[in-house]
Coordinates of all heavy atoms in Angstrom, one line a residue:
M12 N -16.2 16.4 30.8 CA -15.3 15.5 31.4 C -15.5 14.1 30.9 O -14.5 13.4 30.6 CB -15.4 15.6 32.9 CG -14.4 14.7 33.7 SD -12.8 15.4 33.5 CE -11.9 14.4 34.5
R13 N -16.8 13.7 30.7 CA -17.1 12.4 30.2 C -16.5 12.2 28.8 O -16.0 11.1 28.5 CB -18.6 12.1 30.2 CG -19.1 11.9 31.6 CD -20.6 11.6 31.6 NE -21.1 11.6 32.9 CZ -22.4 11.5 33.2 NH1 -23.3 11.5 32.2 NH2 -22.8 11.4 34.4
I14 N -16.7 13.2 28.0 CA -16.2 13.1 26.6 C -14.7 12.9 26.6 O -14.1 12.1 25.8 CB -16.6 14.3 25.8 CG1 -18.2 14.3 25.6 CG2 -16.0 14.3 24.4 CD1 -18.7 15.6 25.0
Y15 N -14.0 13.6 27.4 CA -12.5 13.6 27.5 C -12.1 12.1 27.9 O -11.2 11.6 27.3 CB -12.0 14.6 28.5 CG -10.5 14.5 28.8 CD1 -9.7 15.0 27.8 CD2 -10.0 14.1 29.9 CE1 -8.3 15.0 28.0 CE2 -8.6 14.0 30.1 CZ -7.8 14.5 29.1 OH -6.4 14.5 29.3
L16 N -12.8 11.6 28.9 CA -12.5 10.2 29.3 C -12.8 9.2 28.2 O -12.0 8.2 28.0 CB -13.2 9.8 30.6 CG -12.8 10.6 31.8 CD1 -13.7 10.3 33.0 CD2 -11.3 10.3 32.2
L17 N -13.9 9.4 27.5 CA -14.2 8.5 26.5 C -13.2 8.6 25.3 O -12.8 7.5 24.8 CB -15.6 8.8 25.9 CG -16.1 8.0 24.8 CD1 -16.3 6.5 25.2 CD2 -17.5 8.5 24.3
A18 N -12.7 9.8 25.0 CA -11.7 9.9 24.0 C -10.4 9.3 24.4 O -9.8 8.6 23.6 CB -11.5 11.4 23.7
M19 N -10.0 9.4 25.6 CA -8.8 8.8 26.1 C -8.9 7.2 26.0 O -8.0 6.6 25.6 CB -8.5 9.2 27.6 CG -7.9 10.5 27.7 SD -7.5 11.0 29.4 CE -6.9 9.5 30.2
L20 N -10.1 6.7 26.5 CA -10.3 5.3 26.4 C -10.2 4.8 25.0 O -9.6 3.7 24.7 CB -11.6 4.9 27.1 CG -11.9 3.4 27.1 CD1 -10.9 2.6 27.9 CD2 -13.3 3.2 27.7
T21 N -10.8 5.5 24.1 CA -10.8 5.1 22.6 C -9.4 5.1 22.1 O -9.0 4.2 21.4 CB -11.7 6.1 21.8 OG1 -13.0 6.1 22.4 CG2 -11.7 5.7 20.4
L22 N -8.6 6.1 22.4 CA -7.2 6.1 22.0 C -6.4 5.0 22.5 O -5.5 4.4 21.9 CB -6.6 7.5 22.3 CG -7.2 8.7 21.5 CD1 -6.6 10.0 22.0 CD2 -6.9 8.5 20.0
I23 N -6.6 4.7 23.8 CA -5.8 3.6 24.4 C -6.2 2.3 23.8 O -5.3 1.5 23.4 CB -6.1 3.6 25.9 CG1 -5.5 4.8 26.6 CG2 -5.6 2.3 26.6 CD1 -5.9 5.0 28.1
V24 N -7.4 2.0 23.6 CA -7.9 0.8 22.9 C -7.4 0.7 21.5 O -6.9 -0.4 21.1 CB -9.4 0.6 23.0 CG1 -9.9 -0.6 22.2 CG2 -9.8 0.4 24.4
T25 N -7.4 1.8 20.8 CA -6.9 1.8 19.4 C -5.4 1.5 19.3 O -5.0 0.8 18.5 CB -7.3 3.1 18.7 OG1 -8.7 3.3 18.8 CG2 -6.9 3.1 17.3
G26 N -4.7 2.1 20.3 CA -3.3 1.9 20.3 C -2.9 0.5 20.6 O -2.0 -0.1 20.0
C27 N -3.6 -0.2 21.5 CA -3.4 -1.6 21.8 C -3.7 -2.5 20.6 O -2.9 -3.4 20.3 CB -4.2 -2.0 23.0 SG -3.7 -1.2 24.5
T28 N -4.7 -2.1 19.9 CA -5.1 -2.9 18.7 C -4.0 -2.8 17.6 O -3.7 -3.8 17.0 CB -6.5 -2.5 18.1 OG1 -7.4 -2.6 19.2 CG2 -6.9 -3.3 17.0
S29 N -3.6 -1.6 17.4 CA -2.6 -1.4 16.3 C -1.3 -2.1 16.7 O -0.6 -2.6 15.8 CB -2.4 0.0 16.0 OG -1.8 0.7 17.1
A30 N -0.9 -2.2 17.9 CA 0.3 -2.9 18.3 C 0.2 -4.3 18.1 O 1.2 -5.0 17.6 CB 0.6 -2.6 19.8
V31 N -0.9 -4.9 18.3 CA -1.1 -6.4 18.0 C -1.0 -6.6 16.5 O -0.3 -7.5 16.0 CB -2.5 -6.8 18.5 CG1 -2.8 -8.2 18.0 CG2 -2.5 -6.8 20.0
N32 N -1.6 -5.7 15.7 CA -1.6 -5.9 14.2 C -0.2 -5.7 13.7 O 0.3 -6.4 12.8 CB -2.5 -4.9 13.5 CG -4.0 -5.2 13.8 OD1 -4.3 -6.3 14.1 ND2 -4.8 -4.2 13.7
D33 N 0.6 -4.7 14.2 CA 2.0 -4.5 13.8 C 2.8 -5.7 14.1 O 3.6 -6.1 13.3 CB 2.5 -3.3 14.5 CG 2.0 -2.0 14.0 OD1 1.3 -2.0 12.9 OD2 2.1 -1.0 14.6
S34 N 2.6 -6.4 15.2 CA 3.3 -7.5 15.6 C 3.0 -8.7 14.6 O 3.9 -9.4 14.2 CB 3.0 -8.0 17.0 OG 3.7 -9.2 17.3
A35 N 1.8 -8.9 14.3 CA 1.4 -9.9 13.4 C 1.9 -9.6 12.0 O 2.4 -10.5 11.3 CB -0.1 -10.1 13.4
L36 N 1.9 -8.4 11.6 CA 2.4 -8.0 10.3 C 3.9 -8.2 10.2 O 4.4 -8.7 9.2 CB 2.1 -6.5 10.0 CG 2.4 -6.0 8.6 CD1 1.6 -6.8 7.6 CD2 2.0 -4.5 8.6
S37 N 4.6 -7.9 11.3 CA 6.1 -8.2 11.3 C 6.4 -9.7 11.2 O 7.3 -10.0 10.4 CB 6.7 -7.7 12.6 OG 6.5 -6.3 12.8
T38 N 5.6 -10.5 11.8 CA 5.8 -11.9 11.7 C 5.5 -12.4 10.3 O 6.3 -13.2 9.7 CB 4.8 -12.7 12.7 OG1 5.1 -12.2 14.0 CG2 5.0 -14.2 12.6
V39 N 4.5 -11.9 9.6 CA 4.1 -12.3 8.3 C 5.2 -11.9 7.3 O 5.5 -12.6 6.3 CB 2.7 -11.8 7.9 CG1 2.4 -12.0 6.4 CG2 1.7 -12.5 8.7
L40 N 5.7 -10.7 7.5 CA 6.6 -10.1 6.5 C 8.1 -10.4 6.7 O 8.9 -10.1 5.9 CB 6.4 -8.5 6.5 CG 5.1 -8.0 5.9 CD1 5.1 -6.5 6.0 CD2 4.9 -8.5 4.5
D41 N 8.4 -11.1 7.8 CA 9.8 -11.4 8.1 C 10.5 -12.1 7.0 O 11.6 -11.7 6.6 CB 9.8 -12.1 9.4 CG 11.3 -12.3 9.9 OD1 12.0 -11.3 9.8 OD2 11.6 -13.4 10.4
R42 N 9.9 -13.2 6.6 CA 10.6 -14.0 5.6 C 10.7 -13.3 4.2 O 11.8 -13.3 3.6 CB 9.9 -15.4 5.4 CG 10.6 -16.3 4.4 CD 10.1 -17.7 4.4 NE 10.3 -18.4 5.6 CZ 9.6 -19.3 6.1 NH1 8.6 -19.8 5.4 NH2 9.9 -19.9 7.2
P43 N 9.6 -12.8 3.7 CA 9.7 -12.1 2.4 C 10.6 -10.9 2.4 O 11.3 -10.6 1.4 CB 8.3 -11.6 2.1 CG 7.4 -12.4 2.9 CD 8.2 -12.8 4.1
M44 N 10.7 -10.2 3.5 CA 11.6 -9.0 3.6 C 13.1 -9.5 3.6 O 13.9 -8.9 3.0 CB 11.4 -8.2 4.9 CG 10.1 -7.4 4.8 SD 9.6 -6.5 6.3 CE 11.1 -6.0 7.0
T45 N 13.4 -10.6 4.3 CA 14.7 -11.1 4.4 C 15.1 -11.6 3.0 O 16.3 -11.4 2.5 CB 14.8 -12.3 5.4 OG1 14.4 -11.8 6.7 CG2 16.2 -12.9 5.5
T46 N 14.2 -12.3 2.3 CA 14.5 -12.8 1.0 C 14.8 -11.7 0.0 O 15.7 -11.7 -0.8 CB 13.3 -13.7 0.5 OG1 13.1 -14.7 1.4 CG2 13.6 -14.3 -0.9
H47 N 13.9 -10.6 0.1 CA 14.1 -9.5 -0.8 C 15.4 -8.8 -0.5 O 16.1 -8.3 -1.4 CB 12.9 -8.6 -0.7 CG 12.9 -7.4 -1.6 ND1 13.0 -7.6 -3.0 CD2 12.9 -6.1 -1.4 CE1 13.0 -6.4 -3.6 NE2 12.9 -5.5 -2.6
A48 N 15.8 -8.6 0.8 CA 17.0 -8.0 1.1 C 18.2 -8.7 0.6 O 19.2 -8.1 0.1 CB 17.1 -7.8 2.6
A49 N 18.1 -10.0 0.6 CA 19.2 -10.9 0.1 C 19.3 -10.7 -1.4 O 20.4 -10.6 -2.0 CB 19.0 -12.3 0.5
A50 N 18.1 -10.6 -2.1 CA 18.1 -10.5 -3.5 C 18.7 -9.1 -3.9 O 19.4 -9.0 -4.9 CB 16.7 -10.6 -4.1
L51 N 18.4 -8.1 -3.1 CA 18.9 -6.7 -3.4 C 20.4 -6.7 -3.3 O 21.1 -5.8 -3.9 CB 18.3 -5.7 -2.5 CG 16.8 -5.4 -2.8 CD1 16.2 -4.5 -1.7 CD2 16.6 -4.8 -4.1
A52 N 21.0 -7.5 -2.5 CA 22.4 -7.6 -2.3 C 23.1 -8.3 -3.4 O 24.4 -8.2 -3.6 CB 22.8 -8.2 -0.9
G53 N 22.4 -9.0 -4.2 CA 23.0 -9.7 -5.3 C 23.0 -8.9 -6.6 O 22.8 -7.7 -6.7
D54 N 23.2 -9.7 -7.7 CA 23.3 -9.0 -9.1 C 22.1 -9.4 -10.0 O 22.1 -8.9 -11.1 CB 24.6 -9.4 -9.7 CG 25.8 -8.9 -9.0 OD1 25.7 -7.8 -8.4 OD2 26.9 -9.5 -9.0
D55 N 21.2 -10.3 -9.5 CA 20.1 -10.8 -10.4 C 18.9 -9.8 -10.3 O 18.2 -9.9 -9.3 CB 19.8 -12.2 -9.9 CG 18.8 -12.8 -10.9 OD1 18.3 -12.2 -11.9 OD2 18.4 -14.0 -10.6
V56 N 18.8 -9.0 -11.3 CA 17.7 -8.0 -11.3 C 16.3 -8.7 -11.4 O 15.4 -8.2 -10.7 CB 17.9 -7.0 -12.5 CG1 16.7 -6.0 -12.6 CG2 19.2 -6.2 -12.3
A57 N 16.2 -9.7 -12.1 CA 14.9 -10.4 -12.2 C 14.5 -11.0 -10.8 O 13.4 -10.9 -10.5 CB 15.0 -11.6 -13.2
L58 N 15.5 -11.5 -10.1 CA 15.2 -12.0 -8.7 C 14.8 -10.8 -7.8 O 13.9 -11.0 -7.0 CB 16.4 -12.7 -8.2 CG 16.3 -13.3 -6.7 CD1 15.2 -14.3 -6.7 CD2 17.6 -13.8 -6.3
M59 N 15.4 -9.7 -8.0 CA 15.1 -8.5 -7.2 C 13.6 -8.1 -7.4 O 12.9 -7.8 -6.5 CB 16.0 -7.3 -7.5 CG 17.4 -7.5 -7.1 SD 18.3 -6.0 -7.6 CE 20.0 -6.6 -7.6
R60 N 13.3 -8.1 -8.7 CA 11.9 -7.7 -9.0 C 10.9 -8.8 -8.5 O 9.8 -8.4 -8.0 CB 11.8 -7.6 -10.5 CG 12.5 -6.4 -11.1 CD 12.4 -6.3 -12.5 NE 13.1 -5.1 -13.0 CZ 13.5 -5.0 -14.2 NH1 13.3 -5.9 -15.2 NH2 14.2 -3.9 -14.6
R61 N 11.2 -10.1 -8.7 CA 10.3 -11.1 -8.2 C 10.1 -11.1 -6.7 O 9.0 -11.2 -6.2 CB 10.8 -12.5 -8.7 CG 9.9 -13.6 -8.4 CD 10.4 -14.9 -9.1 NE 11.8 -15.3 -8.9 CZ 12.7 -15.2 -9.8 NH1 12.4 -14.9 -11.0 NH2 14.0 -15.5 -9.5
T62 N 11.2 -11.0 -6.0 CA 11.1 -10.9 -4.5 C 10.4 -9.6 -4.1 O 9.6 -9.7 -3.1 CB 12.4 -11.1 -3.8 OG1 13.3 -10.0 -4.2 CG2 13.0 -12.4 -4.1
G63 N 10.6 -8.6 -4.8 CA 9.8 -7.3 -4.5 C 8.4 -7.5 -4.7 O 7.5 -7.0 -3.9
R64 N 8.0 -8.1 -5.8 CA 6.5 -8.3 -6.1 C 5.9 -9.2 -5.0 O 4.8 -9.0 -4.5 CB 6.4 -9.0 -7.4 CG 6.4 -8.0 -8.6 CD 6.0 -8.6 -9.9 NE 6.7 -9.8 -10.2 CZ 7.7 -9.9 -11.0 NH1 8.2 -8.8 -11.6 NH2 8.3 -11.0 -11.3
D65 N 6.7 -10.3 -4.6 CA 6.2 -11.2 -3.5 C 6.0 -10.4 -2.2 O 5.0 -10.6 -1.5 CB 7.2 -12.3 -3.3 CG 7.2 -13.3 -4.5 OD1 6.3 -13.3 -5.4 OD2 8.2 -14.1 -4.6
L66 N 7.0 -9.6 -1.9 CA 6.9 -8.8 -0.7 C 5.7 -7.9 -0.7 O 4.9 -7.8 0.3 CB 8.2 -8.0 -0.5 CG 8.2 -7.1 0.8 CD1 8.0 -7.8 2.0 CD2 9.5 -6.3 0.8
I67 N 5.5 -7.2 -1.8 CA 4.3 -6.3 -1.9 C 3.0 -7.0 -1.9 O 2.0 -6.6 -1.2 CB 4.4 -5.4 -3.2 CG1 5.6 -4.4 -3.0 CG2 3.1 -4.7 -3.4 CD1 6.0 -3.7 -4.3
A68 N 2.9 -8.2 -2.5 CA 1.7 -9.0 -2.5 C 1.4 -9.5 -1.1 O 0.3 -9.6 -0.7 CB 1.9 -10.2 -3.5
T69 N 2.5 -9.9 -0.4 CA 2.3 -10.4 1.0 C 1.8 -9.3 1.8 O 0.8 -9.5 2.6 CB 3.6 -11.0 1.5 OG1 4.0 -12.0 0.6 CG2 3.4 -11.6 2.9
Y70 N 2.3 -8.1 1.7 CA 1.9 -7.0 2.5 C 0.4 -6.6 2.2 O -0.4 -6.4 3.1 CB 2.8 -5.7 2.2 CG 2.3 -4.5 2.9 CD1 2.6 -4.3 4.3 CD2 1.5 -3.6 2.3 CE1 2.2 -3.2 4.9 CE2 1.1 -2.4 2.9 CZ 1.4 -2.2 4.2 OH 0.9 -1.1 4.9
D71 N 0.1 -6.6 0.9 CA -1.3 -6.3 0.5 C -2.3 -7.3 1.1 O -3.3 -7.0 1.5 CB -1.4 -6.2 -1.0 CG -0.8 -4.9 -1.6 OD1 -0.5 -4.0 -0.8 OD2 -0.5 -4.9 -2.8
A72 N -1.9 -8.6 1.0 CA -2.8 -9.6 1.5 C -2.9 -9.5 3.0 O -4.0 -9.7 3.6 CB -2.2 -11.0 1.1
A73 N -1.8 -9.2 3.7 CA -1.9 -9.1 5.2 C -2.7 -7.9 5.7 O -3.3 -8.0 6.7 CB -0.5 -9.1 5.7
T74 N -2.7 -6.8 4.9 CA -3.4 -5.6 5.3 C -4.8 -5.6 4.7 O -5.6 -4.7 5.1 CB -2.6 -4.4 5.0 OG1 -2.4 -4.3 3.6 CG2 -1.3 -4.3 5.7
G75 N -5.1 -6.4 3.8 CA -6.4 -6.4 3.2 C -6.6 -5.4 2.1 O -7.7 -4.9 1.9
R76 N -5.6 -5.0 1.5 CA -5.7 -4.0 0.4 C -5.7 -4.5 -0.9 O -5.4 -5.5 -1.3 CB -4.5 -3.0 0.5 CG -4.6 -2.3 1.9 CD -3.4 -1.3 2.0 NE -3.5 -0.8 3.4 CZ -2.9 0.3 3.7 NH1 -2.2 0.9 2.9 NH2 -3.0 0.7 4.9

């Protein structure tokens, strides 16, 4: 019974932590995602690539990868 309760507590705490990280990640990625989406709607392929690289670099920096 103790192991079951410990496992439940661990899952609850982990779930709360990931929700906070997801919220912070959404805030960080909001502007690069919007910029990239606007570039994808246009005709400038170089801009699409540049904004895509910026978006991926921002994601990598935010997640520590």
